[in-house]
mmCIF file of all heavy atoms in Angstrom:
data_model
loop_
_atom_site.group_PDB
_atom_site.id
_atom_site.type_symbol
_atom_site.label_atom_id
_atom_site.label_comp_id
_atom_site.label_asym_id
_atom_site.label_seq_id
_atom_site.Cartn_x
_atom_site.Cartn_y
_atom_site.Cartn_z
ATOM 1 N N MET E 79 11.066 -1.031 10.916
ATOM 2 C CA MET E 79 11.930 0.020 10.370
ATOM 3 C C MET E 79 13.301 -0.643 10.020
ATOM 4 O O MET E 79 13.611 -1.714 10.584
ATOM 5 C CB MET E 79 12.180 1.161 11.389
ATOM 6 C CG MET E 79 10.977 2.039 11.642
ATOM 7 S SD MET E 79 11.281 3.449 12.708
ATOM 8 C CE MET E 79 11.583 2.577 14.269
ATOM 9 N N ALA E 80 14.058 -0.034 9.182
ATOM 10 C CA ALA E 80 15.346 -0.559 8.814
ATOM 11 C C ALA E 80 16.239 -0.544 10.042
ATOM 12 O O ALA E 80 16.244 0.410 10.811
ATOM 13 C CB ALA E 80 15.922 0.260 7.670
ATOM 14 N N GLY E 81 16.991 -1.562 10.159
ATOM 15 C CA GLY E 81 18.006 -1.599 11.254
ATOM 16 C C GLY E 81 17.501 -2.335 12.470
ATOM 17 O O GLY E 81 17.986 -3.408 12.857
ATOM 18 N N ARG E 82 16.477 -1.840 13.127
ATOM 19 C CA ARG E 82 15.927 -2.492 14.288
ATOM 20 C C ARG E 82 14.451 -2.166 14.404
ATOM 21 O O ARG E 82 14.008 -1.144 13.891
ATOM 22 C CB ARG E 82 16.621 -2.014 15.556
ATOM 23 C CG ARG E 82 16.383 -0.622 15.941
ATOM 24 C CD ARG E 82 17.330 -0.042 16.952
ATOM 25 N NE ARG E 82 17.383 -0.894 18.166
ATOM 26 C CZ ARG E 82 17.959 -0.503 19.319
ATOM 27 N NH1 ARG E 82 18.470 0.734 19.417
ATOM 28 N NH2 ARG E 82 18.014 -1.316 20.316
ATOM 29 N N THR E 83 13.714 -3.001 15.032
ATOM 30 C CA THR E 83 12.252 -2.798 15.160
ATOM 31 C C THR E 83 11.942 -1.787 16.297
ATOM 32 O O THR E 83 12.772 -1.595 17.202
ATOM 33 C CB THR E 83 11.531 -4.119 15.467
ATOM 34 O OG1 THR E 83 11.867 -4.563 16.773
ATOM 35 C CG2 THR E 83 11.803 -5.140 14.397
ATOM 36 N N GLY E 84 10.784 -1.236 16.232
ATOM 37 C CA GLY E 84 10.342 -0.333 17.284
ATOM 38 C C GLY E 84 10.219 -1.051 18.564
ATOM 39 O O GLY E 84 10.515 -0.506 19.623
ATOM 40 N N LEU E 85 9.786 -2.353 18.546
ATOM 41 C CA LEU E 85 9.619 -3.113 19.812
ATOM 42 C C LEU E 85 10.972 -3.313 20.505
ATOM 43 O O LEU E 85 11.051 -3.243 21.684
ATOM 44 C CB LEU E 85 8.931 -4.452 19.520
ATOM 45 C CG LEU E 85 7.468 -4.473 19.409
ATOM 46 C CD1 LEU E 85 6.958 -5.842 18.965
ATOM 47 C CD2 LEU E 85 6.843 -4.040 20.746
ATOM 48 N N GLU E 86 12.029 -3.560 19.680
ATOM 49 C CA GLU E 86 13.304 -3.748 20.282
ATOM 50 C C GLU E 86 13.832 -2.504 20.992
ATOM 51 O O GLU E 86 14.358 -2.542 22.040
ATOM 52 C CB GLU E 86 14.295 -4.194 19.169
ATOM 53 C CG GLU E 86 14.056 -5.578 18.621
ATOM 54 C CD GLU E 86 14.936 -5.933 17.407
ATOM 55 O OE1 GLU E 86 15.464 -4.963 16.809
ATOM 56 O OE2 GLU E 86 15.091 -7.070 17.055
ATOM 57 N N TRP E 87 13.590 -1.384 20.287
ATOM 58 C CA TRP E 87 14.048 -0.111 20.858
ATOM 59 C C TRP E 87 13.168 0.233 22.085
ATOM 60 O O TRP E 87 13.738 0.707 23.128
ATOM 61 C CB TRP E 87 13.860 0.993 19.839
ATOM 62 C CG TRP E 87 14.476 2.297 20.223
ATOM 63 C CD1 TRP E 87 15.752 2.563 20.586
ATOM 64 C CD2 TRP E 87 13.840 3.550 20.335
ATOM 65 N NE1 TRP E 87 15.931 3.892 20.897
ATOM 66 C CE2 TRP E 87 14.733 4.487 20.729
ATOM 67 C CE3 TRP E 87 12.452 3.979 20.068
ATOM 68 C CZ2 TRP E 87 14.388 5.902 20.926
ATOM 69 C CZ3 TRP E 87 12.164 5.323 20.276
ATOM 70 C CH2 TRP E 87 13.097 6.285 20.717
ATOM 71 N N LEU E 88 11.895 -0.014 22.046
ATOM 72 C CA LEU E 88 11.041 0.245 23.198
ATOM 73 C C LEU E 88 11.466 -0.599 24.386
ATOM 74 O O LEU E 88 11.514 -0.082 25.557
ATOM 75 C CB LEU E 88 9.574 -0.042 22.881
ATOM 76 C CG LEU E 88 8.543 0.033 23.974
ATOM 77 C CD1 LEU E 88 8.594 1.475 24.584
ATOM 78 C CD2 LEU E 88 7.170 -0.283 23.479
ATOM 79 N N ALA E 89 11.729 -1.850 24.178
ATOM 80 C CA ALA E 89 12.183 -2.759 25.304
ATOM 81 C C ALA E 89 13.457 -2.199 25.928
ATOM 82 O O ALA E 89 13.669 -2.226 27.152
ATOM 83 C CB ALA E 89 12.352 -4.166 24.806
ATOM 84 N N GLU E 90 14.392 -1.679 25.057
ATOM 85 C CA GLU E 90 15.604 -1.119 25.600
ATOM 86 C C GLU E 90 15.317 0.129 26.443
ATOM 87 O O GLU E 90 15.897 0.349 27.528
ATOM 88 C CB GLU E 90 16.563 -0.748 24.435
ATOM 89 C CG GLU E 90 17.852 -0.132 24.867
ATOM 90 C CD GLU E 90 18.715 0.297 23.669
ATOM 91 O OE1 GLU E 90 19.033 -0.609 22.839
ATOM 92 O OE2 GLU E 90 19.020 1.485 23.536
ATOM 93 N N LEU E 91 14.403 0.956 25.980
ATOM 94 C CA LEU E 91 14.052 2.206 26.659
ATOM 95 C C LEU E 91 13.478 1.880 28.046
ATOM 96 O O LEU E 91 13.844 2.486 29.067
ATOM 97 C CB LEU E 91 13.011 3.020 25.923
ATOM 98 C CG LEU E 91 13.511 3.728 24.598
ATOM 99 C CD1 LEU E 91 12.329 4.446 23.985
ATOM 100 C CD2 LEU E 91 14.637 4.691 24.887
ATOM 101 N N ARG E 92 12.621 0.928 28.098
ATOM 102 C CA ARG E 92 12.005 0.533 29.396
ATOM 103 C C ARG E 92 13.081 -0.076 30.293
ATOM 104 O O ARG E 92 13.001 0.185 31.548
ATOM 105 C CB ARG E 92 10.857 -0.470 29.146
ATOM 106 C CG ARG E 92 9.671 0.026 28.373
ATOM 107 C CD ARG E 92 9.027 1.209 29.142
ATOM 108 N NE ARG E 92 7.811 1.634 28.567
ATOM 109 C CZ ARG E 92 7.533 2.858 28.102
ATOM 110 N NH1 ARG E 92 8.486 3.806 28.194
ATOM 111 N NH2 ARG E 92 6.369 3.180 27.607
ATOM 112 N N ARG E 93 13.997 -0.843 29.820
ATOM 113 C CA ARG E 93 15.064 -1.391 30.656
ATOM 114 C C ARG E 93 15.940 -0.261 31.243
ATOM 115 O O ARG E 93 16.467 -0.408 32.352
ATOM 116 C CB ARG E 93 15.909 -2.348 29.865
ATOM 117 C CG ARG E 93 15.314 -3.737 29.609
ATOM 118 C CD ARG E 93 16.386 -4.720 29.151
ATOM 119 N NE ARG E 93 17.033 -4.282 27.957
ATOM 120 C CZ ARG E 93 16.616 -4.598 26.668
ATOM 121 N NH1 ARG E 93 15.561 -5.292 26.536
ATOM 122 N NH2 ARG E 93 17.291 -4.170 25.598
ATOM 123 N N ASP E 94 16.019 0.816 30.489
ATOM 124 C CA ASP E 94 16.841 1.976 30.994
ATOM 125 C C ASP E 94 16.027 2.937 31.865
ATOM 126 O O ASP E 94 16.570 4.020 32.250
ATOM 127 C CB ASP E 94 17.432 2.764 29.766
ATOM 128 C CG ASP E 94 18.490 1.990 29.068
ATOM 129 O OD1 ASP E 94 19.078 1.098 29.669
ATOM 130 O OD2 ASP E 94 18.849 2.309 27.930
ATOM 131 N N GLY E 95 14.795 2.573 32.202
ATOM 132 C CA GLY E 95 14.035 3.471 33.085
ATOM 133 C C GLY E 95 13.395 4.649 32.345
ATOM 134 O O GLY E 95 13.156 5.685 32.966
ATOM 135 N N PHE E 96 13.028 4.461 31.075
ATOM 136 C CA PHE E 96 12.364 5.573 30.309
ATOM 137 C C PHE E 96 10.879 5.244 30.324
ATOM 138 O O PHE E 96 10.413 4.237 29.827
ATOM 139 C CB PHE E 96 12.871 5.573 28.892
ATOM 140 C CG PHE E 96 12.424 6.717 28.041
ATOM 141 C CD1 PHE E 96 12.987 7.955 28.097
ATOM 142 C CD2 PHE E 96 11.331 6.460 27.248
ATOM 143 C CE1 PHE E 96 12.534 8.966 27.305
ATOM 144 C CE2 PHE E 96 10.820 7.510 26.398
ATOM 145 C CZ PHE E 96 11.464 8.780 26.474
ATOM 146 N N PHE E 97 10.095 6.097 30.989
ATOM 147 C CA PHE E 97 8.713 5.804 31.317
ATOM 148 C C PHE E 97 7.690 6.551 30.471
ATOM 149 O O PHE E 97 6.504 6.466 30.694
ATOM 150 C CB PHE E 97 8.452 6.111 32.776
ATOM 151 C CG PHE E 97 9.290 5.321 33.721
ATOM 152 C CD1 PHE E 97 10.255 5.935 34.439
ATOM 153 C CD2 PHE E 97 9.156 3.958 33.801
ATOM 154 C CE1 PHE E 97 11.118 5.208 35.342
ATOM 155 C CE2 PHE E 97 9.969 3.196 34.698
ATOM 156 C CZ PHE E 97 10.954 3.895 35.426
ATOM 157 N N THR E 98 8.172 7.341 29.451
ATOM 158 C CA THR E 98 7.170 8.103 28.588
ATOM 159 C C THR E 98 6.222 7.179 27.906
ATOM 160 O O THR E 98 6.570 6.055 27.487
ATOM 161 C CB THR E 98 8.002 8.914 27.601
ATOM 162 O OG1 THR E 98 8.726 9.951 28.294
ATOM 163 C CG2 THR E 98 7.063 9.611 26.594
ATOM 164 N N GLU E 99 4.996 7.622 27.658
ATOM 165 C CA GLU E 99 3.942 6.870 26.972
ATOM 166 C C GLU E 99 4.411 6.628 25.524
ATOM 167 O O GLU E 99 4.942 7.533 24.854
ATOM 168 C CB GLU E 99 2.652 7.651 26.941
ATOM 169 C CG GLU E 99 2.114 7.978 28.393
ATOM 170 C CD GLU E 99 1.729 6.644 29.112
ATOM 171 O OE1 GLU E 99 0.900 5.918 28.631
ATOM 172 O OE2 GLU E 99 2.281 6.453 30.214
ATOM 173 N N VAL E 100 4.060 5.446 24.945
ATOM 174 C CA VAL E 100 4.476 5.041 23.612
ATOM 175 C C VAL E 100 3.262 4.412 22.930
ATOM 176 O O VAL E 100 2.664 3.507 23.485
ATOM 177 C CB VAL E 100 5.661 4.104 23.583
ATOM 178 C CG1 VAL E 100 5.977 3.623 22.153
ATOM 179 C CG2 VAL E 100 6.906 4.812 24.148
#
Side-chain angles (χ1 to χ4, degrees):
M79 293 184 288
R82 68 193 311 193
T83 68
L85 277 176
E86 291 170 342
W87 188 58
L88 175 57
E90 179 184 301
L91 291 179
R92 294 299 189 239
R93 284 195 300 271
D94 287 343
F96 186 83
F97 302 110
T98 292
E99 302 293 305
V100 175

